[in-house]
Amino acid sequence: MSEPAWSRAEFEARLRERGRAYHIHHPFNVMLNSGKATREQIRGWVANRFYYQVNIPVKDAAIIANCDERAVRRNWVQRILHPDGHGHDPGRIEAWPPPAHAVRPATPPLPAPRRGAASPWART
């Protein structure tokens, strides 16, 4: 048995309620975007975000490796190519050196995004 369709007002109210959990409302994100985060907090955010971005294609490759559905694998592979790049496209991970360099962590906390690539954390 299905519920009746929501009215426009009910739909909007439920959608707005879900939006309260969105990351832009998280206290740290509010602090970061309002300029109240310390330099060390920003450095930590950059390191955490970089680590997360570098590991997304690794996680997606593990999913693909364990998937028996050819069509799903062919579709999912785009989730690896976008961050890691392919052909002449270096991928979105390569966009990280400028923000990483800008905050200059005291100690390089993360490896380079690819074997043989210069670390975005290196001081020059």
Side-chain angles (χ1 to χ4, degrees), residues 20-83:
R20 289 193 224 298
Y22 201 63
H23 77 279
I24 61 171
H25 302 296
H26 188 278
F28 181 79
N29 199 65
V30 171
M31 184 174 61
L32 185 67
N33 289 316
S34 66
K36 295 178 181 169
T38 68
R39 187 167 183 85
E40 286 306 309
Q41 288 169 322
I42 295 169
R43 286 175 174 166
W45 180 87
V46 169
N48 179 278
R49 189 69 186 177
F50 177 76
Y51 182 80
Y52 170 74
Q53 292 294 323
V54 166
N55 282 287
I56 288 172
V58 175
K59 180 258 310 171
D60 289 333
I63 291 170
I64 290 172
N66 288 292
C67 180
D68 294 331
E69 300 285 331
R70 181 174 186 240
V72 172
R73 288 193 313 267
R74 291 179 67 159
N75 191 35
W76 201 272
V77 76
Q78 297 305 314
R79 295 175 57 107
I80 295 173
L81 298 177
H82 182 65

